Amino acid sequence: MSSAMLEIPASRFGEERSPYLSARRVAELLGVNLTELAGLIGVARNTLAAKTGARKVDAALSPVVRILAMAGEMAGGEQRAAIWFKHQPIPGWAGKTAYDLVREGKTDKVLAYLEAVRSGVYA
């Protein structure tokens, strides 16, 4: 993984005065409710709202935010990245989108695909 891939744009995805990512902001960008987001990242819905769950939520959201940041760089913005994430099938995955693969726990496959595209492999 490149160092750029590890950078998480916390200012866009974080809460004010908090070191953690914001589930609410990510959900708004993706156009899903918090229950759907919880299912996507594999945490209980109540964990998203609990202060004690902030670290767990942050760890679960980080790969999604990385994907959205990389896709946003390549697609020209967060909104385009969100549309790609939810609707564009990834070649070689039987019509599955990044959303589908993340929900199945295959975040690493999406990140590898984006890194390959960034490197010109699929261009």
Side-chain angles (χ1 to χ4, degrees):
M1 278 192 250
S2 72
S3 61
M5 193 164 124
L6 297 176
E7 292 174 13
I8 298 173
S11 60
R12 292 193 315 246
F13 295 103
E15 286 289 353
E16 251 182 68
R17 298 187 180 124
S18 173
Y20 300 110
L21 296 170
S22 168
R24 181 187 51 78
R25 284 191 180 179
V26 174
E28 285 174 2
L29 176 62
L30 293 176
V32 298
N33 61 41
L34 289 176
T35 301
E36 290 171 304
L37 182 63
L40 175 68
I41 63 174
V43 300
R45 165 66 174 88
N46 292 341
T47 304
L48 293 181
K51 296 262 187 225
T52 56
R55 283 198 172 122
K56 183 176 183 177
V57 171
D58 199 65
L61 274 177
S62 291
V64 173
V65 170
R66 268 189 236 123
I67 289 168
L68 291 170
M70 284 182 71
E73 287 173 15
M74 296 185 315
E78 289 177 3
Q79 292 300 320
R80 287 182 176 186
I83 291 168
W84 170 84
F85 184 83
K86 288 180 67 182
H87 302 289
Q88 183 64 46
I90 295 178
W93 287 98
K96 292 183 179 180
T97 65
Y99 185 95
D100 298 328
L101 292 172
V102 168
R103 192 176 54 228
E104 293 174 5
K106 296 177 180 164
T107 305
D108 57 330
K109 303 297 183 194
V110 178
L111 289 168
Y113 168 76
L114 288 172
E115 191 61 41
V117 170
R118 179 188 272 174
S119 299
V121 173
Y122 292 104

